[in-house]
Amino acid sequence: MASTVSFSPANVQMLQARSGHGHAAFGSCSAVPRAGSRLRSTAVRVSSEQEAAVRAPSGRTIEECEADAVAGKFPAPPPLVRPKAPEGTPQIRPLDMTKRPRRNRKSPALRAAFQETSISPANFVLPLFIHEGEDDAPIGAMPGCYRLGWRHGLLDEVYKARDVGVNSFVLFPKVPDALKSPTGDEAYNDNGLVPRTIRLLKDKFPDIVIYTDVALDPYSSDGHDGIVREDGVIMNDETVYQLCKQAVSQARAGADVVSPSDMMDGRVGALRSALDAEGFHDVSIMSYTAKYASSFYGPFREALDSNPRFGDKKTYQMNPANYREALIETAADEAEGADILLVKPGLPYLDIIRLLRDNSALPIAAYQVSGEYSMIKAGGALGMIDEQKVMMESLMCLRRAGADIILTYFARQAAGVLCGMGSK
């Protein structure tokens, strides 16, 4: 009787030697390697006598092993040794329960197989602070972060981030005080810092995704996200008019996604109309849908020198005590044409991320803000926590809550960990 058996070249040569037929045993079989040929396993048709001649590593033939199995002669298994409990452990009757969730957590392989949430560098957007200077300037309240020189340091940072798989970036400018004004006109200067930076990045890295910030606070002499009336009121509709010009200027420079962070009413619909009127139908809008008047923004405002000159931002940013109000903002942004909905801050607002995830089919973004970043950095520096483990856990929590993308200053460091390169 003949059968099909997979032979490696070594087995073929061994079989030939035992049969004494050399090449004649297989006719013109190509399984015999020629000089200089690449060795590979090949399935060939052989007789039962030839099959029996190929022995197992123990020296016994397949037929001998099968005969033992039929006769019930099995090799002795390794002894089963049950680990001993520590002395003093009570002798009890096992609990009578059919479901034990720990069974699915008992080994690394099982835990990996059943993991519900994953994270990769593709989920990260790296915020970049830029300024007009040539040199990079460290930001004291944000260890490891810099105001990057837009010509050199910026390109180096983007190159390093791309090297670990981060391909999305959001730009935040440090604007000279001399260019700031009550109406923030520098925001839509086509030769301003942000448009110049976009053009440079798109020239050097045409395949990256560039997000921009649409708000007046970096350009306002008052430090607010909108135009301030003499009685301190933030003017909504007039601000939106300025924001539309800002977004169009950014799109003209090559921005992929414009991101209104101002929290003015009606700005998403106005931006969509303005962009479409200028032919920028493919430019996306990531709306800061639920941006709270949070105390976690302090280090960021130091980085951009954009603290309000008076008052606070509570008349346009959301009250941290409010939950249902996020649904109002979500419905408005969806109706006005937003492509992505963002929650800011991130970790203290996991419930809001989940709320938006459960009530919208749009992609959800979370911003792990400067205060969150700096607290983890400080705790790590003081040896109070394991910085890398807490960093990765915090990002995974944001993903688990429902965020598709995460704006985080940890983007390059975390991507390095995911790529097996450690903290970079």
Side-chain angles (χ1 to χ4, degrees), residues 85-103:
E87 186 177 350
T89 300
Q91 299 296 315
I92 63 168
R93 181 176 180 273
L95 297 174
D96 184 16
M97 55 182 177
T98 57
K99 295 183 178 180
R100 290 179 178 263
R102 287 185 58 189
R103 284 195 283 257

Side-chain angles (χ1 to χ4, degrees), residues 61-115:
T61 66
I62 295 174
E63 288 183 343
E64 290 171 341
C65 294
E66 289 181 347
D68 283 350
V70 171
K73 299 177 182 179
F74 304 109
L80 178 62
V81 179
R82 290 186 179 276
K84 294 181 179 179
E87 186 177 350
T89 300
Q91 299 296 315
I92 63 168
R93 181 176 180 273
L95 297 174
D96 184 16
M97 55 182 177
T98 57
K99 295 183 178 180
R100 290 179 178 263
R102 287 185 58 189
R103 284 195 283 257
N104 289 341
R105 302 195 291 265
K106 64 185 178 183
S107 73
L110 284 173
R111 291 194 296 272
F114 303 139
Q115 181 168 311

Side-chain angles (χ1 to χ4, degrees), residues 37-375:
S37 66
R38 185 176 180 181
L39 299 181
R40 65 180 184 273
S41 296
T42 307
V44 295
R45 192 80 169 172
V46 298
S47 68
S48 58
E49 291 82 2
Q50 292 166 337
E51 179 180 353
V54 179
R55 296 179 177 273
S58 64
R60 308 177 68 231
T61 66
I62 295 174
E63 288 183 343
E64 290 171 341
C65 294
E66 289 181 347
D68 283 350
V70 171
K73 299 177 182 179
F74 304 109
L80 178 62
V81 179
R82 290 186 179 276
K84 294 181 179 179
E87 186 177 350
T89 300
Q91 299 296 315
I92 63 168
R93 181 176 180 273
L95 297 174
D96 184 16
M97 55 182 177
T98 57
K99 295 183 178 180
R100 290 179 178 263
R102 287 185 58 189
R103 284 195 283 257
N104 289 341
R105 302 195 291 265
K106 64 185 178 183
S107 73
L110 284 173
R111 291 194 296 272
F114 303 139
Q115 181 168 311
E116 301 173 23
T117 304
S118 62
I119 193 167
S120 79
N123 301 124
F124 299 146
V125 180
L126 176 59
L128 297 173
F129 300 112
I130 54 176
H131 68 156
E132 294 284 5
E134 295 287 336
D135 298 327
D136 300 341
I139 300 168
M142 299 179 67
C145 291
Y146 298 82
R147 296 188 193 103
L148 301 168
W150 73 279
R151 289 180 182 273
H152 305 295
L154 171 69
L155 297 180
D156 184 58
E157 183 69 14
V158 171
Y159 178 85
K160 291 177 180 177
R162 282 167 51 82
D163 193 45
V164 290
V166 177
N167 289 292
S168 298
F169 306 88
V170 58
L171 303 176
F172 294 103
K174 166 64 174 70
V175 177
D177 289 343
L179 293 177
K180 297 180 180 181
S181 66
T183 53
D185 295 347
E186 180 64 17
Y188 51 86
N189 176 4
D190 285 344
N191 290 316
L193 178 57
V194 169
R196 271 184 280 128
T197 300
I198 296 171
R199 292 194 293 268
L200 176 65
L201 288 175
K202 281 296 186 180
D203 178 63
K204 300 293 184 181
F205 310 103
D207 59 332
I208 65 173
V209 178
I210 297 179
Y211 294 73
T212 57
D213 180 48
V214 178
L216 296 187
D217 53 325
Y219 309 92
S220 168
S221 53
D222 296 309
H224 277 280
D225 293 48
I227 299 173
V228 184
R229 207 168 59 191
E230 64 178 359
D231 59 356
V233 171
I234 310 301
M235 305 175 72
N236 191 92
D237 297 10
E238 293 81 359
T239 296
V240 171
Y241 180 80
Q242 297 288 77
L243 298 178
C244 288
K245 292 192 287 184
Q246 181 184 17
V248 169
S249 175
Q250 294 170 349
R252 191 179 294 125
D256 299 289
V257 185
V258 296
S259 311
S261 64
D262 57 289
M263 290 299 288
M264 298 296 122
D265 294 337
R267 87 274 204 211
V268 172
L271 262 61
R272 185 72 273 163
S273 296
L275 291 167
D276 290 352
E278 294 292 329
F280 297 115
H281 302 89
D282 293 334
V283 173
S284 304
I285 297 176
M286 179 175 71
S287 175
Y288 283 55
T289 298
K291 181 179 181 180
Y292 285 83
S294 172
S295 298
F296 282 89
Y297 304 149
F300 176 95
R301 291 173 181 168
E302 176 188 320
L304 297 185
D305 188 25
S306 60
N307 275 303
R309 299 295 183 264
F310 63 90
D312 52 43
K313 301 189 176 186
K314 293 180 180 180
T315 65
Y316 46 100
Q317 295 179 359
M318 289 176 57
N319 185 341
N322 289 2
Y323 177 81
R324 299 188 306 272
E325 186 181 2
L327 293 175
I328 299 173
E329 296 287 353
T330 298
D333 287 353
E334 281 194 325
E336 293 176 24
D339 300 288
I340 308 164
L341 308 178
L342 181 142
V343 176
K344 180 180 181 182
L347 208 58
Y349 293 83
L350 294 179
D351 58 331
I352 306 301
I353 297 172
R354 173 49 56 183
L355 179 67
L356 268 62
R357 173 74 291 150
D358 290 343
N359 287 276
S360 177
L362 291 176
I364 304 299
Y367 199 144
Q368 187 182 47
V369 299
S370 57
E372 299 173 66
Y373 169 86
S374 295
M375 286 194 300

Side-chain angles (χ1 to χ4, degrees), residues 386-405:
D386 184 315
E387 178 187 319
Q388 179 172 304
K389 289 182 178 179
V390 172
M391 168 187 72
M392 299 307 298
E393 182 179 342
S394 68
L395 294 169
M396 184 65 78
C397 289
L398 293 167
R399 286 277 293 147
R400 187 196 65 228
D404 297 289
I405 60 172

